[in-house]
């Protein structure tokens, strides 16, 4: 979203579109050249002039395309990020990251290219990228190998050499066939302060200090109970799902999605976490959401759901938090839910 909250960049396959978002709650009545139903009037019938007036109407939100940025990506675009200078933005696909100017649609600058000369030598792909919230020369991108690279555009025009490299060493005792798949990062987000960044892999969310590259400062388990289900999740392709994550306005809490229309919230100060469900059956307008718990074995308590009865076709991949208020949006299949903190 642009600074004015009026424009929005939309990805469709390999094409990027810039939209104008506007609200209208008044309409003009009393035109001189056309009737109220919109038909043009005969000029010879117009004998007097009248002043049109604005009348209230139901709020309408309109989206109209302004620019189209195309023909710069060979592969599907996975990320888009508007820079803090509000003049440029970057777009990323599996192998390349391009830098665009918002006013120029017919060309972009390639700033990262990891495509090998021989595609058989390809060992990783770019999974997500984002601009720093305050330093317009800094950006990060993540990979399918679970690594994050921070680049500085002042160092070179082509950022093939990173400034910082973030990677957590793997525990050899927990190594398995699925280790590389579940370590792939599906989303990376800078904190609003710019001091930290958050990454989401298949089972966890990690918070990194930009000054410490060797390990994250915080790790939150999203659905650790699925570790025993990785084989079946691999067979039904769910293991390749790409979950997003987001910060609240003060960077004190984080949110990400899970299966069964569950979404998870973590308080960074108290280290408390909560699981909530977004579903039409359990969500009436202005109703309080009840915390949900997943039972992994043994005797199941009341209000708990067994891990074996989770619906993996219902998943929340996309989440967003209002930049200032305690309002969140979560997308579950073809439904969008908006929840607000309880108002006393």
């Amino acid at each position: 979203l642009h600074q004015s909250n009026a424009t929005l960049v939309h990805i469709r396959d390999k094409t990027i579109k810039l939209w104008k978002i506007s609200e209208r709650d008044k309409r003009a009545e009393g035109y001189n050249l056309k009737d109220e139903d919109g038909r043009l009037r005969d000029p010879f019938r117009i004998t007097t002039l009248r002043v049109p007036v604005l009348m209230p109407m139901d709020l309408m939100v309109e989206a109209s395309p302004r620019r189209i940025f195309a023909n710069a990506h060979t592969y599907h675009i996975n990320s888009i990020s508007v820079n803090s200078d509000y003049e440029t933005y970057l777009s990323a696909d599996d192998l390349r990251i391009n830098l665009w100017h918002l006013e120029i649609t017919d060309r972009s600058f390639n700033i990262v290219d990891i495509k090998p000369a021989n595609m058989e030598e390809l060992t990783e792909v770019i999974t997500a990228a984002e601009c720093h919230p305050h330093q317009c020369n800094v950006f990060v991108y993540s990979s399918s190998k679970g690594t994050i690279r921070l680049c500085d555009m002042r160092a070179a025009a082509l950022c093939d050499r990173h400034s910082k490299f973030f990677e957590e060493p793997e525990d050899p005792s927990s190594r398995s066939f699925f280790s590389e798949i579940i370590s792939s990062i599906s989303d990376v987000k800078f904190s609003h302060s710019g001091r930290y960044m958050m990454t989401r892999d298949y089972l966890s969310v990690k918070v990194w200090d930009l000054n410490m590259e060797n390990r994250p400062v915080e790790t939150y388990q999203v659905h650790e109970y699925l570790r025993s289900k990785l084989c079946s999740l691999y067979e039904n392709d769910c293991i390749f799902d790409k979950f997003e994550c987001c910060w609240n306005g003060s960077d004190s809490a984080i949110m990400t999605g899970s299966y069964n229309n569950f979404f998870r919230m973590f308080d960074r100060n108290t280290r408390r976490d909560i699981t909530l469900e977004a579903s039409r059956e359990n969500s009436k307008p202005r109703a309080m959401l009840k915390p949900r718990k997943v039972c992994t074995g043994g005797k199941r308590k009341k209000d708990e759901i067994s891990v074996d009865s989770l619906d993996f076709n219902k998943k929340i991949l996309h989440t967003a938090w209002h930049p200032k208020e305690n309002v969140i949006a979560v997308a579950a299949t073809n439904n969008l839910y908006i929840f607000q903190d309880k108002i006393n």
Side-chain angles (χ1 to χ4, degrees), residues 29-92:
E29 288 186 1
Y31 288 101
N32 289 286
L33 300 179
K34 59 183 179 181
D35 295 323
E36 300 303 332
D37 58 4
R39 289 184 297 179
L40 290 175
R41 299 173 66 189
D42 184 350
F44 295 103
R45 290 174 46 225
I46 302 174
T47 56
T48 58
L49 292 178
R50 51 185 176 177
V51 179
V53 294
L54 291 175
M55 301 295 291
M57 58 175 281
D58 292 336
L59 179 66
M60 281 183 58
V61 179
E62 297 175 323
S64 52
R66 283 291 184 263
R67 295 185 188 93
I68 297 176
F69 307 84
N71 305 321
H73 285 279
T74 307
Y75 305 95
H76 291 296
I77 299 168
N78 58 47
S79 297
I80 213 125
S81 179
V82 179
N83 214 337
S84 59
D85 59 11
Y86 291 107
E87 291 185 355
T88 58
Y89 73 91
L90 61 81
S91 60

Side-chain angles (χ1 to χ4, degrees), residues 9-26:
V9 181
H10 168 69
I11 309 167
R12 181 170 177 82
D13 296 331
K14 301 162 191 173
T15 302
I16 303 159
K17 294 182 180 180
L18 187 72
W19 296 79
K20 173 75 174 180
I21 310 297
S22 57
E23 294 182 345
R24 195 152 52 96
D25 60 358
K26 292 181 176 63

Side-chain angles (χ1 to χ4, degrees), residues 73-133:
H73 285 279
T74 307
Y75 305 95
H76 291 296
I77 299 168
N78 58 47
S79 297
I80 213 125
S81 179
V82 179
N83 214 337
S84 59
D85 59 11
Y86 291 107
E87 291 185 355
T88 58
Y89 73 91
L90 61 81
S91 60
D93 64 24
D94 286 351
L95 299 179
R96 294 188 178 98
I97 300 177
N98 293 329
L99 183 70
W100 301 79
H101 195 285
L102 284 163
E103 300 294 330
I104 302 172
T105 61
D106 58 351
R107 66 182 182 273
S108 63
F109 297 96
N110 179 233
I111 55 175
V112 173
D113 188 348
I114 66 168
K115 184 178 181 180
N118 182 2
M119 284 295 281
E120 292 181 359
E121 299 173 0
L122 183 68
T123 58
E124 63 181 335
V125 294
I126 298 167
T127 55
E130 189 179 54
C131 298
H132 191 278

